[in-house]
Amino acid sequence: MDNESNIKGRFRGSNRTISSFLSNNRTIIAAVAFLYLLPLGTAAATSPTRTLLSLMTQIMIFGLLAMSFDLQLGRSALLNFGQVALFGVGAYTMAFTLNSDILPPPFNLIAAIPFPLTIIVAMMIGGFLGLIMGLTTSRLRGTAFAFIALAIAEFIYNFFNENPAISGGETGLPVPIPGIIRTGPFYLFFVVIAFAFLAAFIGMVILYLKKRTERIGLILVTPVMVVLTTVLFVFGTNILGPLVVIVAFLLLILLYWFERSESISDPLQYSKTRTNGSEEERADILTDYMLPFAIVVLFLLGVGLAFGSNIAGLWALWAEGGSIFILKIPVQYYLVLTCITIIYYFTRRLLSSPFGRMITAVAQNEGRAEALGYNSYHAKIVVLFISGAIASLAGGLYAQYFGTIDPNSVLGVDLTINAMLYTIIGGLGTLFGPILGAGVVEYSTLNLNIIFQSIGLNPGLWLLGLGVVYVFIVLFMPHGIVGTIGKRSVSIKDKLRRFKLGNLEFGLKDADYWILGLLGTMGFFLLLTEDAGFTLIITGIFAFLDAFVLFVVYYFVLSTKDSRILLSITGIFGVLTVFGLLQMYNSILLLGGIWIPLLIITVISGVLTAYNLVLINRFRKEIRSYLAGGIRRIFRRGR
């Protein structure tokens, strides 16, 4: 009996640990699960998703470099102009471990290290170089430290530049593709990780709805359900997968209804008195185990059915010895995504630990921190070691992804300047800001010339446009994108927390913001992609919401006898519905390349939108009053 009690106690403890982990990392789990979902849409045949994956891989690599720079400058107040040396050392270490013909014996023995371990070797060498920088320069402060580090970086650059036999010189050093990157089992390994994150995501949603039993909980989750189902429908290979996911979401709604309805008794409920005899522990087998398990299984089954042929096609591509180019893109994306996820989570935990608080104290006032007993010298050395390891990881991933490196591309001082721009634009000291900054800069660099050309301007002016973007962010977002939003989020969150519609409270809690993070991540990818299928997702969502709102509005206004208000409200949401349907037809024309009707429908949609805005402004008070009254009547009848 004692052994049985211990086993049950450990099981309950592990359950609480997993639940706590999922609840405390909602935004990370939701965003990473979506990022792992994207490559499943990559088919063995032509797939526009590869363009998006390639761009995102590049952004994440430079995001890692920016994170390492932010760890020094944003958290430890160490301005390091020699950060590029750490990046370049990692890149050349990766090249040396993948090609035994570069280094002379016995140094070429480093090539005997298998590829996944070479990533760790590159990190250790970069961390060791960062340690050397720390031991020699961390007692210096301000610009003295920055320029001594820059001198070290220039010394390393000149060494590689003057030895083209090992650096490749101006022609560049070819970096072989690791053999494991081209294998199907390595791809399936990441697919398993992707399904694990998807299971964690749906488990997190279940826990969220079990605790957020207010009406707003289900209202907030509904857009996520619609978007995910639409993604599976558009990019999946059959309709059966999305249908199974819809069933899983219906069971999720049923679970929410069980948790919300206190009058419903669970026939499978059991109770057990605790050892102290003062409290009774109750568990609902149906709502705590059976329904959650069924929802997770159905969701994973639906995703597997939607993308099963893509996964099987890539496996067959490897088994038949087909093109390695098609297979390596999702594998390299998965590899970089896994690395940045681990580094982000590790850095986040590190900064929230006592050591992280000590780093912050040293950065803010080194003299006061030392007076309190902290060793600022040791703290800086550790930060430089960790930052060097992360920067070298970015360099190693860069080398094996781009396939060719040279001293200018991996050791040029412009990389340090770019890392600084990423950090400042995204938000200094925000951890996620540098990654977002890398995305903004890299996307602007790759696409501004195309945008300028499409509107009839000289494509060579893209640098001017990039400068305007920088100036705009510096002037209007002095703390960077994420930093400025974070500074203003206190007042915004307070307003959202107190938001009411009539007598109904729809205030957002801290547990709700993972939904905004997930939808923001999806929106960011809608911006990055050139796949017209994502346009169908947007218009599909708008058409669904328009139809739903139109139905609700008609339900609201049935009780009013004011024909003027009835006509205005009906006209407004009728226009919205027509607008959504026109945009869906517009997307079909876009896919077919039929440009003249596309332009005509775009003009009509613009006119309808202007008419819609005029009506809303004219009858805003009446609309707000009748909508609030209608919502109160619905929920009053629901009770």
Side-chain angles (χ1 to χ4, degrees):
M1 292 296 294
D2 292 338
N3 291 334
E4 183 179 353
S5 300
N6 291 335
I7 293 174
K8 290 182 178 180
R10 292 175 183 175
F11 179 74
R12 287 193 294 269
S14 62
N15 269 347
R16 285 192 293 268
T17 301
I18 295 174
S19 300
S20 176
F21 174 80
L22 295 178
S23 300
N24 295 333
N25 298 278
R26 291 187 181 95
T27 304
I28 297 176
I29 293 173
V32 173
F34 179 73
L35 295 179
Y36 270 101
L37 178 66
L38 281 177
L40 298 180
T42 305
T46 302
S47 177
T49 311
R50 293 193 202 95
T51 304
L52 176 62
L53 297 183
S54 299
L55 176 60
M56 282 309 304
T57 304
Q58 182 175 338
I59 289 175
M60 288 187 293
I61 289 173
F62 289 118
L64 276 172
L65 174 62
M67 283 178 61
S68 68
F69 188 85
D70 180 64
L71 186 60
Q72 293 187 21
L73 180 60
R75 299 291 179 168
S76 307
L78 294 172
L79 180 58
N80 186 356
F81 284 156
Q83 191 75 2
V84 64
L86 306 171
F87 182 86
V89 165
Y92 274 106
T93 300
M94 180 63 68
F96 297 154
T97 56
L98 294 177
N99 192 344
S100 60
D101 298 330
I102 300 176
L103 294 178
F107 301 103
N108 61 352
L109 293 177
I110 193 174
I113 302 174
F115 169 68
L117 295 180
T118 58
I119 296 177
I120 300 176
V121 173
M123 293 180 66
M124 295 303 298
I125 293 178
F128 180 72
L129 179 60
L131 179 63
I132 293 176
M133 284 186 175
L135 292 174
T136 56
T137 62
S138 61
R139 291 192 184 276
L140 303 175
R141 300 181 182 181
T143 55
F145 169 78
F147 284 101
I148 291 296
L150 178 61
I152 295 175
E154 285 299 308
F155 170 78
I156 296 175
Y157 169 78
N158 288 326
F159 171 78
F160 280 97
N161 195 41
E162 296 298 327
N163 293 274
I166 62 173
S167 67
E170 295 181 356
T171 59
L173 181 68
V175 182
I177 299 175
I180 195 172
I181 292 290
R182 305 190 296 260
T183 61
F186 199 52
Y187 167 72
L188 290 184
F189 169 75
F190 286 117
V191 170
V192 171
I193 296 178
F195 275 88
F197 269 103
L198 291 173
F201 164 73
I202 199 65
M204 179 269 297
V205 175
I206 291 171
L207 291 174
Y208 170 79
L209 282 182
K210 285 172 69 68
K211 295 179 181 179
R212 193 75 159 101
T213 53
E214 298 89 346
R215 297 182 183 93
I216 188 62
L218 186 60
I219 292 174
L220 290 175
V221 172
T222 300
V224 177
M225 298 179 180
V226 174
V227 171
L228 285 178
T229 306
T230 310
V231 168
L232 296 179
F233 177 76
V234 172
F235 292 98
T237 55
N238 59 69
I239 197 174
L240 184 58
L243 291 178
V244 174
V245 171
I246 290 175
V247 173
F249 284 148
L250 292 177
L251 290 180
L252 190 64
I253 297 174
L254 179 64
L255 176 64
Y256 165 82
W257 184 58
F258 275 146
E259 292 290 339
R260 177 173 172 79
S261 303
E262 298 178 356
S263 61
I264 297 177
S265 60
D266 186 354
L268 300 179
Q269 184 183 90
Y270 71 89
S271 62
K272 180 179 179 181
T273 304
R274 291 185 178 178
T275 54
N276 56 14
S278 59
E279 296 183 9
E280 189 177 77
E281 181 180 305
R282 306 180 68 183
D284 297 329
I285 296 178
L286 181 62
T287 58
D288 289 347
Y289 299 102
M290 296 182 64
L291 272 179
F293 180 77
I295 293 170
V296 172
V297 170
L298 285 176
F299 180 79
L300 295 181
L301 178 62
V303 173
L305 290 174
F307 298 111
S309 61
N310 289 341
I311 298 172
L314 289 178
W315 173 271
L317 184 70
W318 166 76
E320 296 171 0
S323 173
I324 61 172
F325 177 76
I326 296 177
L327 183 60
K328 76 167 187 157
I329 292 178
V331 172
Q332 287 181 325
Y333 171 88
Y334 273 136
L335 177 63
V336 176
L337 175 60
T338 303
C339 290
I340 198 172
T341 302
I342 294 173
I343 294 299
Y344 181 86
Y345 182 74
F346 166 77
T347 309
R348 185 167 174 259
R349 291 296 300 269
L350 176 70
L351 295 175
S352 62
S353 66
F355 177 77
R357 292 190 288 271
M358 180 183 71
I359 294 173
T360 304
V362 170
Q364 291 177 350
N365 194 319
E366 186 174 344
R368 182 179 299 175
E370 290 181 346
L372 293 174
Y374 295 124
N375 192 324
S376 61
Y377 178 63
H378 290 170
K380 292 179 181 179
I381 290 176
V382 173
V383 169
L384 287 170
F385 176 83
I386 296 174
S387 176
I390 297 174
S392 293
L393 170 64
L397 294 174
Y398 177 93
Q400 63 87 26
Y401 175 72
F402 285 94
T404 303
I405 59 174
D406 59 80
N408 289 322
S409 65
V410 297
L411 287 169
V413 70
D414 57 326
L415 275 176
T416 297
I417 298 174
N418 288 341
M420 189 183 304
L421 286 176
Y422 301 152
T423 305
I424 294 174
I425 289 175
L428 194 64
T430 57
L431 193 59
F432 174 71
I435 303 175
L436 180 61
V440 172
V441 174
E442 291 301 318
Y443 177 79
S444 301
T445 302
L446 294 174
N447 293 276
L448 275 180
N449 56 345
I450 301 175
I451 295 174
F452 275 38
Q453 186 176 5
S454 64
I455 60 178
L457 296 178
N458 184 3
L461 296 175
W462 71 272
L463 276 175
L464 178 63
L466 195 59
V468 171
V469 173
Y470 293 162
V471 172
F472 176 83
I473 292 176
V474 170
L475 289 178
F476 298 99
M477 297 182 175
H479 302 285
I481 299 174
V482 177
T484 303
I485 294 175
K487 295 287 184 182
R488 298 176 181 175
S489 63
V490 176
S491 59
I492 296 175
K493 284 185 177 181
D494 184 62
K495 292 179 182 178
L496 292 176
R497 189 180 296 110
R498 295 183 286 106
F499 177 74
K500 292 183 179 181
L501 184 60
N503 294 328
L504 297 175
E505 295 187 5
F506 285 88
L508 296 182
K509 297 181 179 179
D510 291 338
D512 300 327
Y513 288 100
W514 69 269
I515 297 174
L516 302 180
L518 176 60
L519 294 178
T521 303
M522 295 179 180
F524 182 68
F525 281 96
L526 296 178
L527 174 67
L528 293 180
T529 186
E530 299 177 359
D531 189 351
F534 275 105
T535 309
L536 287 175
I537 294 177
I538 298 176
T539 53
I541 294 171
F542 274 111
F544 170 81
L545 292 179
D546 291 342
F548 175 76
V549 170
L550 181 63
F551 170 77
V552 173
V553 167
Y554 270 115
Y555 184 84
F556 288 163
V557 301
L558 284 178
S559 59
T560 180
K561 298 180 180 179
D562 192 334
S563 59
R564 185 171 62 99
I565 297 176
L566 176 62
L567 180 63
S568 63
I569 295 178
T570 304
I572 289 171
F573 291 100
V575 166
L576 280 176
T577 303
V578 173
F579 178 75
L581 295 176
L582 285 177
Q583 287 302 309
M584 181 162 294
Y585 180 64
N586 216 354
S587 302
I588 297 173
L589 295 177
L590 179 63
L591 290 174
I594 308 174
W595 300 108
I596 300 300
L598 179 68
L599 180 61
I600 295 174
I601 291 179
T602 302
V603 173
I604 294 175
S605 300
V607 173
L608 291 177
T609 303
Y611 168 73
N612 193 15
L613 292 176
V614 170
L615 285 179
I616 290 176
N617 182 66
R618 173 66 180 82
F619 299 104
R620 59 184 182 277
K621 294 182 180 179
E622 292 86 348
I623 292 172
R624 182 169 60 249
S625 174
Y626 276 90
L627 288 180
I631 291 176
R632 286 196 296 272
R633 286 192 294 274
I634 281 182
F635 284 109
R636 192 178 297 119
R637 293 175 185 177
R639 293 194 184 101

